[in-house]
Amino acid sequence: MFLHISHDDKFIDSFINRQRKNFNQVENIYLIYNDSQNLRFVKSENVYVFSLYSREFWEFIKSLKFSRIYIHYFNSRLADFVLSLPENIEIFWVFWGSDGFNLPMLLKRNFDEYSLKYCLKNHPYLLLKYDLTHFMLTYHWKNRVKKHLQAIQKVDYFCHYSEEDYEIIKEVTGFNAKWLEFNYGSLDDFTRKEDKLVLLTDYQKDIIWLGNSADESNNHISALFEIKRRGIEFSSIMCPLSYAGHKDYAKFVIKKGRELFAERFIPLTEFMPKEEYDELLKRCKCFIFNHKRSQAYTNIAYLLFSGGDIIMHSESSLTRYLRSNGISLKTIDEEDWSYDKNQKINNSEAIEKLLNETIVVQRYKNLF
């Protein structure tokens, strides 16, 4: 028996469906930790829901005889649970990004000067910086990080598409896990055939899309200043701020966006269905993802398939990963942000080769 544990998230249903369709020789149990039985994202009937560390949670764990556990998003909340596991249980860390890159020794690398300044002022404990206001919070966070790092040492397999990210996590944690190449989803999960190169159909679009969440690692402020510096002609900037991050940071971005661009800066602060989200994407001219680490891969893959003008950060491991797989990308520090039609067609075909269903199922095979 294999056990999977995750919070309530939109990636889990497709994972369950693909596992059950292709790798069902061994029983797989899915446990979603959530304080309510009413899940927001996971719709599968093949899950059990318990509040993390509740009596029901532990009773359920003790009732199972599993030889492997797959941890989908291994954040510090799960450290006590992982440390409680017997040594004979194989542990698979299905990596998302912030569950490793938000470790204090890596977090600083993710931020530009504006995000770093914001974090040091408002959330210094995340970087283990002590001050009078946040002293106890920093103290408790330091202990939590210490326990997280101890739990990470127990991981046997690190499951992620980027071997470079694996090496980065290995460098700072010193774990001995092996890397398994893995992608959560194929293009079939988040595109339709009619989406291919759909963004090439209207050259009159003049909306800019900025970032993918309210996480500071989007480095919104430097991107806004860069748009201002270039004097680009556009009607508005759409900026999704409904997912992840801190609410106070979202307010900070909105304030700066309005200072620079007034009502042309449009924050998206409410969660919206995928269909509605995709319709907004189709109205945009170019898409700026100013992350210094791998992030927003699903969004970027969809936009590459659809023929979008994508601007990324030159330091991102995802930028290097995509380029190594034949995809042309512009970075925010380049003066020329324009793509020609042939580049977009080639990018669409390259992302199809990288994330088609057959390839992704093959990567699932690495796990099962």
Side-chain angles (χ1 to χ4, degrees), residues 281-294:
L281 290 173
K282 291 174 185 177
R283 294 168 54 191
C284 295
K285 170 186 180 181
C286 79
F287 306 86
I288 301 174
F289 297 96
N290 198 28
H291 314 95
K292 295 175 73 174
R293 67 167 176 87
S294 59

Side-chain angles (χ1 to χ4, degrees), residues 242-294:
S242 64
Y243 181 73
H246 299 94
K247 289 183 179 179
D248 54 354
Y249 175 71
K251 292 177 181 178
F252 171 69
V253 172
I254 293 169
K255 181 180 178 182
K256 182 58 67 174
R258 288 282 164 78
E259 285 177 5
L260 292 171
F261 301 107
E263 297 305 313
R264 290 194 296 166
F265 182 82
I266 303 175
L268 306 174
T269 57
E270 299 295 328
F271 178 80
M272 61 183 69
K274 182 181 182 303
E275 295 75 16
E276 186 177 344
Y277 191 86
D278 290 348
E279 286 304 313
L280 286 181
L281 290 173
K282 291 174 185 177
R283 294 168 54 191
C284 295
K285 170 186 180 181
C286 79
F287 306 86
I288 301 174
F289 297 96
N290 198 28
H291 314 95
K292 295 175 73 174
R293 67 167 176 87
S294 59

Side-chain angles (χ1 to χ4, degrees), residues 7 46 54 80 102 112 169 178 195 200 247 282 292:
H7 62 293
N46 302 294
S54 64
D80 284 326
N102 280 2
D112 63 14
I169 300 300
K178 297 178 181 178
D195 291 330
L200 293 182
K247 289 183 179 179
K282 291 174 185 177
K292 295 175 73 174

Side-chain angles (χ1 to χ4, degrees), residues 11-226:
F11 290 115
I12 301 304
D13 279 349
S14 62
F15 182 92
I16 294 174
N17 292 337
R18 191 168 283 110
Q19 175 268 309
R20 289 173 64 84
K21 179 180 179 181
N22 298 282
F23 306 99
N24 212 19
Q25 297 88 348
V26 177
E27 184 179 9
N28 285 259
I29 302 296
Y30 291 90
L31 189 162
I32 306 298
Y33 59 91
N34 199 63
D35 290 337
S36 168
Q37 291 291 314
N38 298 318
L39 301 180
R40 183 180 183 186
F41 299 108
V42 177
K43 304 303 180 185
S44 174
E45 297 178 354
N46 302 294
V47 301
Y48 297 87
V49 183
F50 298 102
S51 179
L52 187 62
Y53 301 136
S54 64
R55 179 172 58 85
E56 294 80 9
F57 171 88
W58 286 117
E59 287 177 351
F60 181 75
I61 294 296
K62 290 176 182 177
S63 72
L64 302 176
K65 294 182 180 180
F66 55 93
S67 59
R68 293 182 183 179
I69 183 166
Y70 297 83
I71 302 173
H72 300 259
Y73 189 74
F74 183 9
N75 62 15
S76 60
R77 292 186 67 198
L78 292 173
D80 284 326
F81 171 64
V82 172
L83 288 171
S84 75
L85 294 172
E87 291 299 323
N88 63 331
I89 302 295
E90 287 189 309
I91 300 174
F92 291 68
W93 179 1
V94 190
F95 184 67
W96 290 37
S98 61
D99 45 339
F101 287 123
N102 280 2
L103 290 167
M105 61 284 290
L106 283 176
L107 192 60
K108 191 174 180 180
R109 298 189 199 179
N110 302 338
F111 295 158
D112 63 14
E113 58 178 306
Y114 304 103
S115 293
L116 180 59
K117 184 178 179 180
Y118 175 86
C119 190
L120 286 171
K121 180 181 178 181
N122 296 277
H123 307 290
Y125 72 94
L126 293 174
L127 295 162
L128 301 184
K129 300 292 184 181
Y130 284 93
D131 64 10
L132 290 177
T133 306
H134 301 89
F135 183 86
M136 290 307 298
L137 189 59
T138 306
Y139 175 79
H140 289 300
W141 185 249
K142 184 176 182 179
N143 288 331
R144 188 166 162 178
V145 169
K146 182 179 179 180
K147 189 173 286 188
H148 191 195
L149 289 170
Q150 290 172 345
I152 285 172
Q153 300 307 310
K154 296 191 65 172
V155 173
D156 296 292
Y157 298 99
F158 182 89
C159 314
H160 185 49
Y161 60 84
S162 169
E163 188 173 11
E164 181 180 346
D165 286 351
Y166 159 73
E167 294 292 348
I168 292 170
I169 300 300
K170 184 177 181 180
E171 175 191 349
V172 300
T173 65
F175 72 174
N176 292 313
K178 297 178 181 178
W179 173 62
L180 296 178
E181 187 176 17
F182 173 74
N183 289 98
Y184 259 103
S186 72
L187 286 174
D188 290 354
D189 293 325
F190 50 87
T191 64
R192 303 165 301 172
K193 290 182 179 179
E194 55 265 36
D195 291 330
K196 185 170 184 178
L197 300 173
V198 67
L199 296 176
L200 293 182
T201 58
D202 182 3
Y203 289 96
Q204 303 306 310
K205 291 192 289 284
D206 62 354
I207 298 174
I208 294 174
W209 184 276
L210 175 59
N212 78 311
S213 70
D215 194 288
E216 291 96 326
S217 60
N218 282 262
N219 297 315
H220 294 97
I221 307 304
S222 59
L224 289 170
F225 279 128
E226 185 61 22

Side-chain angles (χ1 to χ4, degrees), residues 339-354:
Y339 287 78
D340 62 41
K341 186 175 181 180
N342 286 334
Q343 284 177 310
K344 295 181 182 183
I345 292 171
N346 290 336
N347 283 350
S348 183
E349 293 175 351
I351 199 69
E352 276 192 279
K353 291 179 181 177
L354 188 59

